[in-house]
Amino acid sequence: MNFTGAHILSIQQFEQADIEAIFNVADAMLPYARRQKATRVLEGAIMGNMFFEPSTRTRVSFGSAFNLLGGNVRETTGFESSAIAKGESLYDTARVLSGYSDVVCMRHPQAGSVGEFAKASRVPVINGGDGSNEHPTQALLDLYTIRKELASNGRDINGARIAMIGDLKYGRTVHSLCKLLNLYKGMRISLVSPKELSMPAELVEMMRENGHQVTVSDELSSSITNVDIAYSTRIQEERFQTREEADLYRGRFRLNQSIYTQFCEPNTVIMHPLPRDSRSEANELDSDLDENPNLAIFRQADNGVIVRMALFAMVLDVVHLVDKHTHDVRWFPGIGR
Ligand code: NCD
């Protein structure tokens, strides 16, 4: 696809070659994310970061990625602090805000809303999560992480064995991830959820039709015995009618070090889009896994910055200019990036 000026709304707009292109640019962004060098390539550009649902990682990493390329970020968070609270339509908001920005990143609770916004926008729009529909940039950073983690164990993405665990009905990260994995071959996907929170049937069908082996289960231990990746997710309580309903499912698939030692292969990589629900009633990934070298959740979150830098550079067509606008890093660059 031609990335220049494109909206990034759904994984379905990509082919495998596009993914490779994004990951190649992401690799080139690593020295900037590690503060080994700095660039001003987007000096003067403005990103509108509009988050109408809670977010830490996605919002801040979009902002950091844009800043690391030298651009400025203007942020709108929550309906109550925007004119949407006065009844303004998405169309009007998009017409206006796209006049103030060079690119807009947006999260919104309604499925399809970011696409609707993009139709009226005069600048590229990147979907930071639209309801339970899609979260394409998360899926990209997840796949980038999966590939890197597998490669460090000498394994390849084609034929990988991946368990997705938790709320597969409302979890937009796993919806986008399934669509992305579907571009590759011979996956063995194990879907683990309460029956009521299973992966939408059309996504399971899509993967099976493409020759992937998909198993569905509501039992954790047998589903994580032979996998390369165990991808845990949070019960998406904001999508339920009541908190009590979400409570029925919280804590059903807890993973801790003793379960890991008993059931997982020694190199099984543990992932989670975060936030993990660490309250005692959920505790989906126990903190006793924090010293486990296969816990990749923080490497995964770090990868969000370079993948999002790559998307900005591609959409704003500056990939070839990033290295031409470098300057020295004059500050203490932190430890162990
Ligand atoms: C996810 C999301 O918002 O969909 N978080 C994220 O963006 N990293 C997952 C979640 O909230 O459970």
Side-chain angles (χ1 to χ4, degrees):
M1 69 177 260
N2 177 9
F3 281 86
T4 306
H7 301 303
I8 306 293
L9 300 174
S10 163
I11 288 299
Q12 262 147 334
Q13 69 194 82
F14 298 123
E15 293 173 9
Q16 197 179 322
D18 302 322
I19 306 304
E20 304 305 317
I22 296 168
F23 291 174
N24 282 336
V25 179
D27 285 338
M29 297 298 157
L30 206 50
Y32 298 99
R34 288 188 171 152
R35 278 57 161 185
Q36 288 155 353
K37 46 185 180 171
T39 179
R40 296 192 183 97
V41 71
L42 288 185
E43 190 166 30
I46 297 175
M47 186 266 271
N49 212 16
M50 303 180 53
F51 274 71
F52 298 121
E53 259 195 342
S55 173
T56 305
R57 265 146 298 270
T58 308
R59 180 174 55 83
V60 179
S61 69
F62 268 130
S64 295
F66 207 75
N67 288 151
L68 281 166
L69 290 167
N72 301 310
V73 178
R74 298 218 65 95
E75 209 148 77
T76 306
T77 50
F79 287 113
E80 63 290 343
S81 58
S82 94
I84 292 185
K86 298 181 184 171
E88 185 168 61
S89 68
L90 272 178
Y91 176 88
D92 287 5
T93 310
R95 292 294 296 173
V96 171
L97 282 173
S98 57
Y100 302 160
S101 320
D102 297 281
V103 58
V104 170
C105 299
M106 185 174 178
R107 170 172 288 186
H108 192 286
Q110 257 171 327
S113 54
V114 183
E116 195 187 322
F117 183 95
K119 277 193 201 137
S121 170
R122 295 172 278 169
V123 299
V125 175
I126 303 184
N127 184 359
D130 61 324
S132 56
N133 182 36
E134 277 230 36
H135 194 344
T137 64
Q138 179 71 40
L140 289 168
L141 77 91
D142 287 343
L143 181 63
Y144 183 90
T145 306
I146 291 171
R147 292 225 314 202
K148 214 166 190 170
E149 298 288 324
L150 289 181
S152 68
N153 290 319
R155 284 172 290 174
D156 181 50
I157 183 72
N158 288 299
R161 304 163 301 165
I162 301 177
M164 296 183 208
I165 303 153
D167 184 348
L168 307 184
K169 178 179 180 185
Y170 295 119
R172 55 193 169 201
T173 71
V174 284
H175 298 165
S176 288
L177 187 57
C178 282
K179 293 176 185 173
L180 190 48
L181 293 175
N182 209 38
L183 295 175
Y184 294 80
K185 292 278 168 256
M187 301 275 167
R188 277 188 276 164
I189 309 285
S190 157
L191 302 174
V192 193
S193 71
K195 286 192 177 62
E196 300 81 358
L197 300 182
S198 57
M199 183 67 78
E202 63 273 18
L203 290 176
V204 177
E205 268 319 293
M206 175 196 73
M207 289 191 287
R208 285 190 174 140
E209 272 169 22
N210 203 20
H212 301 297
Q213 187 186 310
V214 184
T215 55
V216 175
S217 166
D218 62 357
E219 215 261 316
L220 181 67
S221 47
S222 60
S223 309
I224 54 172
T225 45
N226 293 301
V227 297
D228 301 304
I229 307 282
Y231 185 107
S232 173
T233 64
R234 180 180 66 88
I235 299 299
Q236 306 284 293
E237 67 175 69
E238 62 275 39
R239 313 272 174 241
F240 290 81
Q241 299 291 335
T242 60
R243 198 197 142 104
E244 289 66 39
E245 200 191 332
D247 284 343
L248 296 174
Y249 306 109
R250 228 186 286 278
R252 281 276 287 275
F253 304 111
R254 294 164 196 263
L255 188 55
N256 60 25
Q257 187 55 47
S258 101
I259 295 171
Y260 182 90
T261 309
Q262 198 183 344
F263 295 104
C264 292
E265 291 175 359
N267 281 331
T268 296
V269 175
I270 306 162
M271 292 177 59
H272 193 300
L274 302 179
R276 56 176 155 169
D277 188 343
S278 295
R279 291 170 289 191
S280 58
E281 62 273 27
N283 207 18
E284 50 211 14
L285 285 185
D286 198 294
S287 58
D288 71 359
L289 289 162
D290 289 357
E291 298 308 313
N292 183 328
N294 292 302
L295 184 79
I297 55 177
F298 301 118
R299 295 191 286 278
Q300 183 183 358
D302 278 353
N303 289 336
V305 173
I306 51 172
V307 167
R308 293 183 170 116
M309 285 176 82
L311 289 172
F312 288 132
M314 293 168 92
V315 162
L316 296 175
D317 195 23
V318 293
V319 174
H320 57 298
L321 297 174
V322 173
D323 286 338
K324 294 201 174 78
H325 294 269
T326 55
H327 59 96
D328 291 339
V329 172
R330 290 175 286 264
W331 59 93
F332 173 64
I335 302 166
R337 282 193 205 272

